[in-house]
């Protein structure tokens, strides 16, 4: 439609790096617009075994809708990497990424969840929810057995269902408009759960999904292999994710391949909007040039700062962007009902930030900001298929690139 050694990717070093980058992005960009939204602990979820890695109940934050948005709902899933073995899951278990006991009691919303009309004109007065991420599997795990030694619970799919059921009981069952969204691992979760979300809401409702920095590709790395496939495979096996992944995909492909959006999107029925950078820094660091295939660190400087890439390295980076665009065009981009906004910023997650969503200096593609693109697409005001020119062509990326 448009022209790791095993301190592997999933071990503590990989998880720490991922979380550090996400936290850095949060510190720089997720400038909440004010207000402290209290945490909601879903205590009833424990009875159905829907618990975090440590066995504590799941949680979310909700800011109620008002006025014309009182029957509109946006459910946004938090990101934060994955754990692919017992060791890396144990390292998350006693942190906010594995336990609701360690989560902050209040938080502010911004970007797609923001409450100010000027900064979020299409969704500011909706019921806005952020589901906290404490399972390490993009909300796909479902293992009944619990090892008495580790006491780890792999129940991400049950968490998702329990939280959604709680929201349905609080009024979402009467939704007129609804969005399931997420960033990073949460953006992947939005794709994997999109059709299921649609099936739980009224047939008369307008329901769509938005994935921000969650379109992780089945990409070839600099060694010519697919280390990311090995990593995703370990997640799927450890967490028992296969039964939670879309059956339209798992019936024809290996389960670990159904953790890749490009294969799932082909059979999705619900409209999907993909927000991503063609130079997503998480993917460059961990899919294109993971440390497992670059033991001497030849790519370290380049993948942390594109300005430090040699000419041959920059060509490889541009080739990776081509891989990304090909994976998009044969997946989500192949359906006219879907929307895409792919800029050339060195960024990861852009919908949760007031700076990158709809601010005066937010990145644009075709004179359109991300917030406007998503709103126009959701309300069918315009068809959105926006693909940016190659790095470093876009001057509106300067702030994002320098801060990242």
């Amino acid at each position: 439609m448009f022209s790791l050694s095993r301190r592997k990717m999933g071990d503590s070093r990989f998880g720490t790096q991922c979380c550090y980058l996400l936290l850095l992005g949060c510190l720089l960009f997720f400038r909440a617009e004010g207000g402290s939204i209290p945490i909601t602990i879903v205590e009833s979820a424990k009875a159905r075994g829907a618990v975090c890695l440590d066995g504590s109940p799941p949680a979310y934050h909700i800011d109620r809708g008002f006025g014309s948005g009182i029957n509109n709902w946006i459910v946004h899933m938090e990101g934060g990497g994955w754990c692919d073995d017992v060791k890396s899951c144990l390292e998350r278990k006693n942190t906010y990424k594995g336990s609701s006991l360690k989560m902050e009691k209040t938080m502010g919303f911004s970007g797609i969840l923001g409450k100010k009309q000027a900064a979020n004109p299409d969704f500011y007065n909706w019921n806005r929810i952020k589901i906290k991420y404490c399972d390490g599997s993009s909300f796909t795990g479902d293992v009944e057995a619990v090892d008495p030694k580790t006491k780890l619970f792999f129940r991400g799919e049950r968490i998702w269902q329990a939280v959604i059921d709680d929201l349905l009981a609080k009024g979402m069952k009467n939704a007129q408009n609804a969005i399931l969204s997420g960033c990073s691992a949460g953006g992947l979760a939005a794709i994997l759960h999109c059709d299921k979300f649609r099936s739980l809401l009224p047939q008369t409702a307008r329901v769509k999904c938005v994935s921000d920095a969650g379109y992780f590709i089945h990409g070839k790395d600099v060694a010519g292999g697919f280390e990311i496939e090995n990593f995703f495979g370990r997640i799927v096996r450890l967490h028992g994710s296969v039964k939670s992944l879309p059956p339209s995909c798992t019936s024809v492909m290996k389960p670990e391949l159904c953790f890749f959006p490009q294969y799932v999107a082909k059979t999705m029925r619900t409209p999907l909007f993909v927000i991503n950078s063609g130079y997503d820094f998480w993917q460059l660091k961990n899919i294109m040039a993971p440390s497992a295939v670059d033991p001497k660190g030849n790519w370290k400087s380049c993948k942390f700062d594109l300005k430090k890439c040699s000419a041959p390295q920059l060509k490889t980076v541009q080739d990776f962007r081509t891989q990304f665009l090909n994976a998009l065009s044969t997946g989500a981009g192949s359906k006219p009902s879907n929307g895409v906004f792919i800029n050339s910023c060195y960024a990861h997650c852009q919908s949760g930030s007031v700076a990158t969503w709809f601010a005066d200096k937010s990145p644009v593609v075709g004179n359109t900001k991300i917030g406007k693109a998503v709103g126009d697409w959701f309300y069918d005001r315009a068809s959105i298929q926006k693909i940016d020119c190659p790095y470093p062509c876009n001057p509106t990326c300067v702030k994002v690139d320098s801060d990242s």
Side-chain angles (χ1 to χ4, degrees), residues 1-3 215 271-276 321 324-325 327-343 365-370 372-374 376-378 381-389:
M1 178 165 288
F2 42 74
S3 330
Y215 205 88
L272 170 69
F273 195 100
V274 175
I275 304 166
N276 230 100
R321 171 181 177 270
F324 178 88
L325 294 180
L328 187 66
S329 66
T330 58
S334 66
K335 298 183 178 182
S337 61
N338 291 342
V340 298
F341 188 102
I342 312 301
N343 61 26
V365 178
N367 295 318
T368 303
K369 298 171 185 175
I370 297 171
K372 178 171 172 48
V374 174
D376 285 350
W377 167 82
F378 182 82
R381 296 190 294 249
S383 175
I384 304 293
Q385 297 277 330
K386 294 191 177 293
I387 308 295
D388 207 354
C389 48

Side-chain angles (χ1 to χ4, degrees), residues 338-357:
N338 291 342
V340 298
F341 188 102
I342 312 301
N343 61 26
S344 294
C345 306
Y346 184 67
H348 182 70
C349 289
Q350 300 177 78
S351 67
S353 159
V354 65
T356 50
W357 178 248

